[in-house]
Amino acid sequence: MNSKLANLLQMFRDVLPARNMEELEQRLAKAQEKKDLPALAKIYYDMGVHCMKNGDPNRAMMYLSRCDCIFSSDDDVYEKVKESVREDCSKRIGELEEMPLLTNQIPEQIEEQAEEALSDVQVRVWGLLTMARLVQVGKRLSVLPACEVLGDLDEAVDLILRSFREPISEADFRFLADTCNELYELGDEASFSDLTRQVEISGAAPIQAFDLNGLLTLTELNLYFDSHLRLLSEGADNSAAETGLIPCALLPDYYLRTCKEDLSEIIRVKQEVERIQADYEFVSSEITWEDIAQRIAEYKELDILACC
């Protein structure tokens, strides 16, 4: 068979519906290698549809959200993905958001607890505790192209904590503002969705930047920083505390991509759910800033991807 005919046959196979997930994963690997983002978006869409049809809504949400992130992040990619795919992807995500999935239930529970029982500062501290647990994850991913800002979470956590108790310098404020902006800009970097790049983890599967729940964790980090900067510059009346960051250390995309079990059965997910609830009880109790500082220091050293 000559190469031209082989290429035509491959092109024909690529437009046919995949028969199983293994075939889709093979197509995915090829699209990743070629850095073909429109093809990558379509394959993620197909994987999401496959999972919905086969009773795996958690992974369906992950794949469809990845599809949405890829075609939404670039106008050229958006135009190359069929309108029917874009519309059905959004429709399916909307359906999944109404289902009783762990990734829907935990944020809803957090929001209810925050509204019913916590002050503005308590909610902010709750979110900061999650950011502290993302420090080691950020350090890992900061070695990837354009992801250097994720290595700044360590210093940022300390500055935010200190700013609750005393004024910070103009330089420190600028550092937080720059970090906020860089987190926002990272989502538009082509290298962020380059899924051929990943970081090895001893005793666990490699992690990709896109494992930060697509763009969700970047978005929630940006919103937390933005809210805190407005708190420091404008006061509490002009800045509501954000709860969206609190569940982000669950990292469901990473575990759904690398594990076969149901999300709720994965031990590291269970541990993080327990930490979220323990943090709620912690911020609800009679604690001092020294107590908070100690807990944050411990979390900054915690490798949530390796602990079992």
Side-chain angles (χ1 to χ4, degrees), residues 138-148 150-151 197-199:
K139 286 181 178 179
R140 288 186 190 277
L141 292 172
S142 67
V143 303
L144 297 177
C147 293
E148 294 85 358
L150 296 173
R197 298 181 182 273
Q198 54 189 17
V199 181

Side-chain angles (χ1 to χ4, degrees), residues 46 57 68 89 94-96 158 163 170 176 178-179 184 204 210 231:
D46 289 340
D68 182 80
C89 180
E95 292 173 1
L96 290 166
D158 290 342
S163 71
E170 184 177 342
L176 292 178
D178 289 344
T179 303
Y184 178 81
F210 228 41
L231 174 71

Side-chain angles (χ1 to χ4, degrees), residues 4 19 22 38 57 77 119 128 172 179 187 218 229 231 258 282 286:
K4 185 175 182 180
R19 289 170 294 181
E22 182 179 352
V77 176
S119 68
L128 189 60
D172 289 337
T179 303
L218 293 185
L229 289 164
L231 174 71
T258 61
F282 175 72
E286 295 293 329

Side-chain angles (χ1 to χ4, degrees), residues 18-296:
R19 289 170 294 181
N20 53 49
M21 185 59 78
E22 182 179 352
E23 185 178 335
L24 286 167
E25 289 172 349
Q26 291 171 355
R27 290 186 184 180
L28 181 70
K30 291 177 182 178
Q32 288 175 340
E33 185 178 348
K34 295 177 181 178
K35 300 182 181 180
D36 186 341
L37 293 181
L40 206 58
K42 176 58 167 60
I43 295 165
Y44 275 132
Y45 165 79
D46 289 340
M47 294 173 86
V49 172
H50 179 91
C51 287
M52 285 188 77
K53 289 180 177 178
N54 288 275
D56 193 350
N58 285 296
R59 284 180 178 80
M61 176 66 92
M62 175 191 66
Y63 291 131
L64 291 169
S65 295
R66 287 190 169 203
C67 170
D68 182 80
C69 284
I70 291 171
F71 72 64
S72 299
S73 63
D74 184 277
D75 290 341
D76 186 50
V77 176
Y78 184 88
E79 293 298 327
K80 290 180 179 178
V81 175
K82 289 182 179 180
E83 182 178 0
S84 59
V85 170
R86 301 195 308 262
E87 291 183 351
D88 191 59
C89 180
S90 298
K91 175 177 174 290
R92 289 176 180 275
I93 289 174
E95 292 173 1
L96 290 166
E97 287 175 342
E98 298 300 318
M99 296 179 66
L101 308 182
L102 182 70
T103 49
N104 295 334
Q105 293 172 328
I106 296 297
E108 289 171 1
Q109 177 182 323
I110 288 169
E111 189 172 353
E112 289 175 5
Q113 289 174 315
E115 290 180 354
E116 292 175 2
L118 299 182
S119 68
D120 183 90
V121 171
Q122 286 173 316
V123 174
R124 293 177 190 276
V125 171
W126 196 5
L128 189 60
L129 292 168
T130 293
M131 194 188 302
R133 289 198 298 282
L134 289 170
V135 164
Q136 294 301 322
V137 178
K139 286 181 178 179
R140 288 186 190 277
L141 292 172
S142 67
V143 303
L144 297 177
C147 293
E148 294 85 358
V149 65
L150 296 173
D152 292 335
L153 293 180
D154 191 345
E155 183 177 352
V157 167
D158 290 342
L159 279 177
I160 292 171
L161 175 62
R162 179 152 58 86
S163 71
F164 280 116
R165 307 177 65 184
E166 61 186 59
I168 60 174
S169 68
E170 184 177 342
D172 289 337
F173 184 92
R174 176 47 51 192
F175 171 80
L176 292 178
D178 289 344
T179 303
C180 178
N181 293 334
E182 289 170 24
L183 287 166
Y184 178 81
E185 293 166 359
L186 177 55
D188 293 328
E189 291 282 347
S191 56
F192 182 77
S193 54
D194 182 355
L195 305 182
T196 63
R197 298 181 182 273
Q198 54 189 17
V199 181
E200 297 296 324
I201 301 175
S202 178
I207 186 171
Q208 305 167 351
F210 228 41
D211 285 330
L212 293 175
N213 312 328
L215 299 179
L216 179 61
T217 298
L218 293 185
T219 299
E220 295 301 346
L221 281 167
N222 169 262
L223 290 172
Y224 185 98
F225 274 83
D226 180 70
S227 173
H228 193 73
L229 289 164
R230 285 188 283 111
L231 174 71
L232 296 180
S233 60
E234 302 173 17
D237 291 342
N238 296 311
S239 173
E242 300 282 348
T243 63
L245 179 61
I246 296 167
C248 284
L250 281 167
L251 297 178
D253 283 23
Y254 171 74
Y255 296 113
L256 288 168
R257 182 180 65 82
T258 61
C259 301
K260 298 300 183 184
E261 305 99 305
D262 183 79
L263 190 63
S264 61
E265 297 302 317
I266 297 171
I267 186 170
R268 282 172 285 179
V269 173
K270 290 181 178 180
Q271 289 172 332
E272 181 57 22
V273 170
E274 291 171 358
R275 283 190 286 263
I276 291 170
Q277 187 58 32
D279 286 347
Y280 168 72
E281 295 169 1
F282 175 72
V283 299
S284 301
S285 63
E286 295 293 329
I287 52 175
T288 66
W289 286 109
E290 286 72 23
D291 296 328
I292 297 169
Q294 180 179 347
R295 197 176 186 96
I296 283 177

